[in-house]
Amino acid sequence: MRRLIVVGSVTGAPGVTTTVLALAAVWPSEADGGVRPVLVEADSSGGDLMIRFGLPSAPSLLDVAAAARQPYPGSLLGAASELPCRVRAVVAVPGRGPCREAVRLLAGEAGRRVLLGDEHDRGTVLLDVGRLGEDVEPLLEAADRIVLVARGGAEPLTHVSAYGVDAYASAGRVSLAVIGPCPYPPEEIAHTLGIESVVFLPWDIKSVAAMNSSKQGALRASGFRPPPLMTSVRTLARRLAAPPTDETRAADADRGRVLEGGREVVMEPIWSGLIQVPGVEESGW
């Protein structure tokens, strides 16, 4: 069966789709025996990639949702398109109405079977759910890993803390991607929120522009001096692709593990008043 990684945000629009695109672009080939990951745009509020890249309205997420109702739904990959940044993706149509129903079907038992495939299917599904809500709770429960995307100020991090990911975090399944500047050290965030790993993703304008370009191969994800965004996302991708073990989960729970600028830092837990610190304004872009 395929690995399922759900990527979403608790509030706002911090850059979930950009994070998922970058993960798909740098996903380690050795993780799935050379099978490329597939990005599935499953945002209830509607998709962005179809308009962004000028793709036709079919195939799309609606085809996957319709297939989930059939006794023999076929392959998820039959609905995938090849993006110019060399990422294959199942895109969603714009508009809340049709996408909300499609996500509801995808979150059901039949939809999850389509995502995960059967015992012979290999690879990873990177599921972009946009803002988390009740409609994607079954997908969170089925996910091998969950990546929360947030900006680095007090307000968005407080929303992450208040959302209630304790059950998933205690199982070592949650990572936090902090977008842009952040006034707090990563070890404080990890300890205060009780999240296994934190990675800072720099605001890399050139990489984001290349990722969204209609020119084939515009994104440079490797090579000599790779872009800073790709470097940090690659470290996160390798951690997500690594199979969890009881030993690493126990070590992470005892000491905490943080990814900072593409480098893993292990620290002893310390008390932090991160969320209670007054007078700290959220950093801008």
Side-chain angles (χ1 to χ4, degrees):
M1 299 178 71
R2 301 186 187 97
R3 179 193 289 109
L4 179 62
I5 296 177
V6 174
V7 186
S9 67
V10 172
T11 185
V16 174
T17 300
T18 297
T19 301
V20 179
L21 276 171
L23 279 171
V26 303
W27 194 258
S29 59
E30 65 273 12
D32 299 311
V35 177
R36 296 166 60 204
V38 58
L39 186 164
V40 176
E41 197 176 22
D43 189 337
S44 297
S45 63
D48 297 319
L49 299 179
M50 183 178 290
I51 301 300
R52 186 178 303 177
F53 294 108
L55 299 174
S57 58
S60 74
L61 182 71
L62 300 185
D63 297 287
V64 177
R69 296 180 172 183
Q70 306 302 319
Y72 303 99
S75 171
L76 171 70
L77 302 182
S81 301
E82 188 77 16
L83 303 184
C85 57
R86 297 174 181 169
V87 168
R88 58 180 180 175
V90 176
V91 299
V93 299
R96 178 182 297 271
C99 284
R100 174 176 289 181
E101 178 62 15
V103 172
R104 186 188 68 80
L105 291 170
L106 202 66
E109 183 178 354
R112 296 197 302 272
R113 283 202 303 269
V114 176
L115 289 175
L116 299 175
D118 58 30
E119 60 182 6
H120 302 294
D121 288 308
R122 295 292 180 267
T124 297
V125 173
L126 297 168
L127 198 64
D128 173 6
V129 298
R131 186 169 177 175
L132 300 180
E134 293 182 359
D135 51 347
V136 299
E137 281 294 331
L139 295 169
L140 295 179
E141 294 174 2
D144 295 279
R145 301 296 297 268
I146 301 167
V147 179
L148 299 178
V149 181
R151 296 194 183 183
E155 182 178 340
L157 292 176
T158 302
H159 282 298
V160 173
S161 176
Y163 182 77
V165 294
D166 296 350
Y168 306 121
S170 63
R173 292 198 288 139
V174 179
S175 298
L176 177 66
V178 179
I179 307 296
C182 181
Y184 309 110
E187 60 269 19
E188 287 195 14
I189 299 174
H191 178 75
T192 303
L193 301 185
I195 290 178
E196 175 192 73
S197 63
V198 175
V199 57
F200 283 179
L201 302 183
W203 186 244
D204 182 353
I205 297 176
K206 290 184 178 180
S207 290
V208 173
M211 204 180 305
N212 294 319
S213 172
S214 58
K215 181 180 178 181
Q216 291 285 342
L219 177 64
R220 188 170 66 87
S222 60
F224 181 67
R225 290 185 180 178
L229 175 60
M230 297 297 105
T231 298
S232 295
V233 172
R234 188 182 302 278
T235 305
L236 175 61
R238 286 174 177 164
R239 181 163 181 81
L240 293 173
T245 64
D246 293 338
E247 291 77 8
T248 56
R249 283 178 176 171
D252 288 347
D254 290 340
R255 298 182 296 172
R257 243 176 236 277
V258 173
L259 300 176
E260 179 180 10
R263 182 172 61 91
E264 186 174 68
V265 181
V266 180
M267 79 298 296
E268 295 298 330
I270 58 174
W271 167 251
S272 168
L274 169 63
I275 303 304
Q276 295 78 25
V277 173
V280 178
E281 298 182 357
E282 180 177 351
S283 298
W285 291 95

